[in-house]
Structure formats: C-alpha cells, structure tokens
Amino acid sequence: MTNENYNKHKKKGEELASQMSLIELASQMRNSSKSIERLGIKQYNWWNEGLHGVARAGIATVFPQAICMAAAFDPIAIKKCADIISTEARAKYNESQSKNDYGIYKGLTLWSPNINIFRDPRWGRGHETYGEDPYLTSVLGCAFIEGIQGDDEKYYKASACAKHFCVHSGPESLRHSFNAEVSKKDFYETYIPAFEAAVKVAKVSGVMGAYNQTNGESCCASTFLINDLLRNRWGFDGYYVSDCSAIVDVIFKHNKSLNPAKGAAQAVNAGCDLECGVVYSLLPVSVALGYIDKQTLRKSVARLFAIRSALGMFDKDCKYNRISPKEYATPEHENEAVKMAKKGLVLLENDGILPLKENAQKIFITGYNADNKFAYLGNYFGDPKKFVTVPDAIKEMNKETGFEAGMHLFRSDECTGEKEALEKAANADIIIMCSGLDSSIEGEEPGGFLSGDGGTIGQQGDRESIDLPRIQQDYIEKLIATGKKIILLNFSGGCINFNDYRNRVSAIIQCWYPGAHGGKAIADILFGKCSPSGKLPVTFYNSTSDLPDFCDYSMKNRTYRYFKGDVQYPFGYGRTYTKFSLKNIELNGMTLRAEVENIGDFESDTVLQLYLTCPTADFGNPIKSLISFKRISLRPQEAVNVEFKIENDQLLSVNDLGEKVLLSGEYKLVLTDGCDFSSDPICFQVK
C-alpha cells in the first residue's frame, strides 16, 4: 500500500474517532468491539490466527508449522504460502459478513507471525517461530508479512501482526509474571532485529505485546518499548495489541497498579491501543478519575480504524470483496502446502538406503506419530479437508506395506499392540519408525509433561528434556534388536537427542509438524520424487545438560552464534541425495562470488549460506553470524555462478551499550551448502 493511500485511511480513522463518545471509544479498544450504527460501524472481533493457515474457523489449508517453513530457507515460498493464507482469510471474512457473523476468528487481522527467537529448545512455542537466528527470522518474517498484507496500492488483503514484542521465549509456566532480564547487547543484537525489520521493511500493520516484563517493564505497558522504540525510533504506524489477558498481568502479576482502572490507563498511555481481554471496559472510569484523557483514547481508536479502513471495511470497491468460499483449501493451495513441506524436511542421516525404490521391498511402518494428526498439525491450525498420513502415502508407492503403532506417544500403560508390531517388524525388509512429539507435549502453558506423563490438547507447555519420551527410547531399542534396516521419521518442533541412534539406524529425517498433507511430502522424499533440501533453523544439541538455565535470557552459550561446545547437528545443516561443489570462491571488493556445481546424479535444491565472523572485541561478539543465503536448484552436472553483495551494515557489531559499531581488524567469511562446513574462510581487513 502506498503511503498516500494509507494516509487517507488514517484520516478516515481520525474522522470516525473524533465523532465517538467516551463510551464508544472504549467499546472499540477491546478485541471484541461493538457496533456503532450511527457511524456505519459494524461489530468486529480483532482476534484471528494465521500462523500456518487460517486457524479455528473451519476448513482451511494447513501448511507446515512455521519451524518447518523456516527450514526451507525460502522467503519466496513463504510469501506465496502467506498470500494463500490471506486469500482464505478474506474468503472466510466475506462469507461471515454476508451471514452477519461477526464472531471470533472471522476477521482480517491475523495475529501472526511469531518472530520471537527460539533461544532454548525446551520452549514449547518454539515451533511457532522461524528459528534461532535473528537474520533468518527477519527475512522470513518480512516475507510472511508481505504475503499476508498483499501488494495492492489501496488496501491490505489482510493485516499481519508481529508477535510477541519483544523479549519472549519461555518458560511458559512463568510467562504471566516473568521478568526477562537482558543486556543491551543481546536486546539490540538478537531479540529485536526481526521486529525492527518487520516495521521498517515489511511495514507490518500490527504488533502484539508479550505477557512478560522486559528489564522490569511490562511489554504491554512500556512507554520505552511501545512509544519510544517502536513508534518514534522505528516509525511504526500501525496498531499495538496486548496478548490475551496480558493487561490483567500488568496489574496483578507485574504489580504496576493494584487499581484496574489505573492499570488500563497505564497501558493506553504507553501506546497499547487494543486489549485482548476485558480490562479496557474500565477506561471511561480511568478518564473520570484523571488517569488518562479522552484525547489519548481517541488517538488509539484512530489508529485502529485506520487499519479497518485500510482493509476496505468501509468501501464497496475493495477488490478483495470478491474472494469467495470456493477458495477454501483448494487443490492448488494444498499442493503449495505439500511443496512447502518437501522443502522444509531435513535429512540428517542416510547410509545410502534412501531414496527407496517403489514396490521393491516389504515395509513396516510403526510409531504412534505415523497417524497421529496432532504430529502433522502442530498448533494454531484449521480443519483440513483431508489428511494424508505417512502410512496413507507410502502405501500408494509400495504395495507390501504394513502399519501398527506399537506404542503410545508417551504413556506406558496404554496397550497399542507392541508384541504384534515387533513380530511384523521382524518380517519386514525395512522398518519406518515415526518418533517424536506433538502439540500435546510442546505448545503453550502449562509445561513439565515430557519426562513422564505427556499431556493432552489444551495442556501443552515446555519440555524438560531434549530426549525422546522413555517409552519411545525403549521401543526403538527393540526395533534395532530385530536387525532390520530402520528409517527414523521424527516429528517435533525442535531439537531431539538422536545420539543413541544416529549410527545404528539407516536414515533420520526431521519432519517437524509438516501439515495436513505431510505424509505426501514425506513419501515423495523417501521414494526420490524429489531430493531433501531443508536446513536446520535451530541447533541440535547433544544433551539437555549442555543448555544454560532456562530462565537465563543471556545469549551466552546459546544458539550457534554463541554456543562453544560440540553439537549433534549444527544450525544450517541438512543433507541431500546429491553432492554440491563450491569452488572459485573469491571476494572482489564487497562482493563474494563462487561457482556451485551439482556433481552428483540427482537433481536437487541446496541452500548456500554465508557466515561472517567479526574481529575480536572487548565485548562478546558472536562466533559467527548468518548474513545472507540463497536457495538454488541444479540438475546433475549443472553449474552456476552466484554472488553475494555484502552491505556495510552487515559488518557492524553491537557493543555492550547496544550501539552498532564498525570494528577495525580481520573479518572472516565462510560459504557453505549446509553439508560441508569445513571450507577455509576468506579473510579481509577493515582499518
């Protein structure tokens, strides 16, 4: 949308807000806003979800979970998926409006993406994010936002909302009262770059505040975070919304005020325009008591109605009004979801067993996650028209295929036919074991279920360990004892400890939560319809004991940028069915050039990743940082020349004061395809 047109929508918002009474203003500042008939304003519920498909509103395309999309390292593909999500959200909105249905999850304000940093693999909501790297998160987050909001000059197709501003990644059980203490260096270097990019590059129309405090300030009532940083320094011109019931936390958990009317005023005065909750219903009382003035409420409401106007809610000529329910989960949309999943699956191990040949072996599929729908859906999902599980898809490609779960996901007291499963496994040529977690184990609060009891939907939370549940560990050992070749398909939102199996099974594929048609994507990879090409957007550590305290928000010894120990699989790692050669790598000025050749016999994508190491400083710089990447596709024996232009801003370090500085000394660049990290660095000096 052009600035000129958005300014027109801002004027519309100001015009409407100026005509509202105090009661009417307050009625528009909660997620469930009331109608004002005399002004032609319909009731509207701002709360809608679109993390990886329109959620909780009936039939919709269920794309792979965000962490799986991140593993594709493909902003073009993510933008296309977001555009489809936006189309389906419009279709649902248009249909609901025609039926005078103004309920929750029917609106155009999608509270996505989640661009928090996945700093610790135990965090239950980490799979909602784009991983542990601030640069990758920035690029992919911007792509998603642009796809949601569209490229029309006059209107937003839908409104994206970057969350959760700004230092937030667990523990889930403490999120309502927790104070994330973080240094200025970590704050400006790691936690907020993706939000800054969302505002400055993607022009995101909404930002959601986190539940917790950051350095003693409530994220939903902080003048520094919302007004000074977000609006004044970065130029954010959209609406700010609290996470749901977060204003209650400001008052009663953060103890900013024991007076709800005063607490509501504090949040609005700081710049929080919209509450997901009920406390803002007290704002007329807040005005009467002198805690806030009517003009401040009017500014917030004007911002809210600028968004509603920009979405075409007051115009009949908005071109998106024509999108119909025929757009729900179309074959074309679901095909894009499968493509996205195939790009995000990560091949961790392969002794040569993959790819399989069709109808050439007797396969036995086992493991609870093989047909566990929640292992495909993740969280924040819609209703698929159809599921395609691993057994469904493999049976289409291999006639002699059997399936028996053989075990529960985490409970040892549920009989699932282990004896029968092991007998069938012993008679197969190849065992495919579907291991891992699901959204009953990792998700939103409360936590603490993994190391014994699992959980149920609605009781998700953080993990206590990066190990598989004990029942799965025992079952995998029994499968290994059969002496058969085993392919491990792991479903989880993050790091799992595979050290006990990586040299004892034939292949391991990290499947994440691959979406409603994830089985099709997995089967296509297994049988060589395409080569795996995903890369890890998070580090796979060796042990839970390698991790710092979960409540410590310092980046010291966290993520690939700061972790100094050995790991199972590094950030950016992922194998393919071929081999790529990088040669003639040279730096000419500030442009790095290289020749990339597929020297194997399988067509494949790869992701070229460029890392930078800055000079040693008296403050702790990252070991290395991703500064650019390119996804390319090459046929066997095909070669291309690639180049990476290095911008001056990419050379800057962040010091202990949070300032960006250019250091003098030796800089190092390393280019890798994610399979081989051993190439020599290219060094250059900055004086």
Side-chain angles (χ1 to χ4, degrees), residues 53-66:
V54 181
R56 304 171 177 174
I59 296 294
T61 304
V62 182
F63 290 89
Q65 178 61 297

Side-chain angles (χ1 to χ4, degrees), residues 187-249:
F187 181 81
Y188 286 104
E189 181 181 67
T190 298
Y191 289 109
I192 68 166
F195 287 99
E196 184 174 7
V199 170
K200 291 183 176 180
V201 178
K203 309 296 182 186
V204 70
S205 52
V207 172
M208 175 182 283
Y211 285 113
N212 56 278
Q213 301 176 75
T214 295
N215 291 335
E217 295 194 47
S218 301
C219 293
C220 291
S222 167
T223 299
F224 166 69
L225 292 175
I226 306 171
N227 190 57
D228 297 349
L229 181 61
L230 194 62
R231 295 197 186 281
N232 293 340
R233 197 182 304 181
W234 294 349
F236 176 59
D237 207 15
Y239 78 100
Y240 194 97
V241 58
S242 77
D243 207 336
C244 296
S245 298
I247 304 303
V248 173
D249 294 340

Side-chain angles (χ1 to χ4, degrees), residues 578-583 594-606 608 632-642:
T578 190
K579 187 175 182 180
F580 293 90
S581 170
L582 298 177
K583 52 189 177 183
E595 182 183 348
V596 188
E597 183 179 4
N598 182 346
I599 59 175
D601 56 6
F602 209 104
E603 181 176 352
S604 179
D605 286 8
T606 191
L608 303 179
I632 61 172
S633 181
L634 292 176
R635 297 183 299 274
Q637 313 312 312
E638 182 182 8
V640 295
N641 294 314
V642 295

Side-chain angles (χ1 to χ4, degrees), residues 12-29 34-36 38-39 41 294 297-298 301-302 304-305 308 314:
K12 178 68 174 179
E14 292 165 359
E15 175 190 332
L16 288 170
S18 69
Q19 300 176 67
M20 293 182 195
S21 67
L22 177 60
I23 299 296
E24 288 171 335
L25 287 168
S27 77
Q28 301 304 306
M29 296 179 66
K34 297 182 178 180
S35 63
I36 306 176
R38 67 184 182 84
L39 296 178
I41 295 170
K294 183 178 178 181
L297 269 59
R298 188 172 287 152
V301 172
L304 294 172
F305 275 87
R308 291 183 65 173
F314 308 116

